[in-house]
Amino acid sequence: DIGTQLPFEEQEVGDGESFEMDRTIWSIDARVRLADRDRLVLSFDGELTGKSLRQVDPGAPAREDVDVDREYLQAAWWRSGEDGHEYSLGASWLHLAEDNVLRNAPAGDLRVRRTEAMLFGRARLPLSKAWSIEPYVIGGYVWLEERRGDGPSDSARFDGFQGKWGVPFRYDFSERATIRFDVSFQLDELGFGGGGVQFVARF
């Protein structure tokens, strides 16, 4: 799947501002059957986005510029077991570069650079016809730099291990509708890692 939003410009007559934007988003998935119960899943997705807010006056500098460059690559081996059991091992890589520049207020600038290399393991273990648990663990190397404004005091940097684990519960209403309850915990800080509820329906 590839989606492209061609460059467009929108002008506000009242406040004399012009908004410009272009975006390209892509997602590529490949599934290879290795054996009766084994398959390899490869996925690659990314985004290139550029946005600009400026005065309509010719030659006026942009008031705000936003640029996003993101790529994510994942490879996972899946095995289908008996009675609906599934197991997966894989690796992923992420690169993110995001710039938000405010020309008239440099203190509000935000620049983000992030690189991740992760290993993960997942499973799906049925408890009944409708209920199952989906334990997972993920961890690896993270390099992150955030810079706000012009001063070094507003910068943040991280370089090291990050990871989390969780045991979500899943309920299948049917083959096309499920709900998932997730609570996770950090491995690098031994703390709460967040939670959520996700409902998925396929039409």
Side-chain angles (χ1 to χ4, degrees), residues 42-100:
L42 304 173
S43 60
F44 175 57
D45 63 79
E47 173 186 357
L48 289 173
T49 297
K51 295 187 288 186
S52 177
L53 180 65
R54 65 180 67 242
Q55 294 295 320
V56 177
D57 298 337
R63 293 178 54 190
E64 180 178 3
D65 275 327
V66 178
D67 292 293
V68 179
D69 178 5
R70 180 185 61 84
E71 293 86 32
Y72 179 73
L73 178 65
Q74 183 182 101
W77 162 77
W78 281 91
R79 161 159 285 189
S80 300
E82 298 179 355
D83 301 324
H85 291 65
E86 288 189 315
Y87 310 93
S88 174
L89 294 173
S92 64
W93 175 83
L94 169 72
H95 169 263
L96 172 66
E98 182 174 349
D99 294 320
N100 190 337

Side-chain angles (χ1 to χ4, degrees), residues 24-200:
T24 300
I25 299 176
W26 65 90
S27 175
I28 301 172
D29 294 316
R31 293 171 174 80
V32 181
R33 183 172 293 278
L34 304 176
D36 290 341
R37 294 186 175 183
D38 300 290
R39 64 189 187 278
L40 180 65
V41 180
L42 304 173
S43 60
F44 175 57
D45 63 79
E47 173 186 357
L48 289 173
T49 297
K51 295 187 288 186
S52 177
L53 180 65
R54 65 180 67 242
Q55 294 295 320
V56 177
D57 298 337
R63 293 178 54 190
E64 180 178 3
D65 275 327
V66 178
D67 292 293
V68 179
D69 178 5
R70 180 185 61 84
E71 293 86 32
Y72 179 73
L73 178 65
Q74 183 182 101
W77 162 77
W78 281 91
R79 161 159 285 189
S80 300
E82 298 179 355
D83 301 324
H85 291 65
E86 288 189 315
Y87 310 93
S88 174
L89 294 173
S92 64
W93 175 83
L94 169 72
H95 169 263
L96 172 66
E98 182 174 349
D99 294 320
N100 190 337
V101 180
L102 304 177
R103 302 297 182 187
N104 297 331
D109 290 355
L110 173 62
R111 293 177 171 86
V112 179
R113 299 292 183 270
R114 186 181 186 102
T115 300
E116 293 182 5
M118 294 286 182
L119 298 175
F120 60 84
R122 294 179 291 199
R124 184 184 179 204
L125 309 174
L127 300 175
S128 66
K129 184 176 180 180
W131 284 99
S132 60
I133 58 173
E134 299 182 336
Y136 65 88
V137 60
I138 180 171
Y141 169 77
V142 175
W143 180 84
L144 171 65
E145 183 180 59
E146 291 186 357
R147 191 172 67 200
R148 295 181 181 273
D150 296 327
S153 61
D154 295 326
S155 299
R157 181 188 292 265
F158 178 85
D159 186 358
F161 171 81
Q162 284 188 354
K164 68 168 51 179
W165 66 274
V167 186
F169 284 83
R170 169 175 160 173
Y171 182 81
D172 295 324
F173 297 97
S174 67
E175 293 183 355
R176 295 181 173 272
T178 63
I179 190 168
R180 191 170 182 261
F181 306 91
D182 187 6
V183 176
S184 64
F185 300 90
Q186 293 292 121
L187 289 174
D188 47 303
E189 297 180 351
L190 297 179
F192 179 65
V197 178
Q198 181 184 43
F199 176 73
V200 178

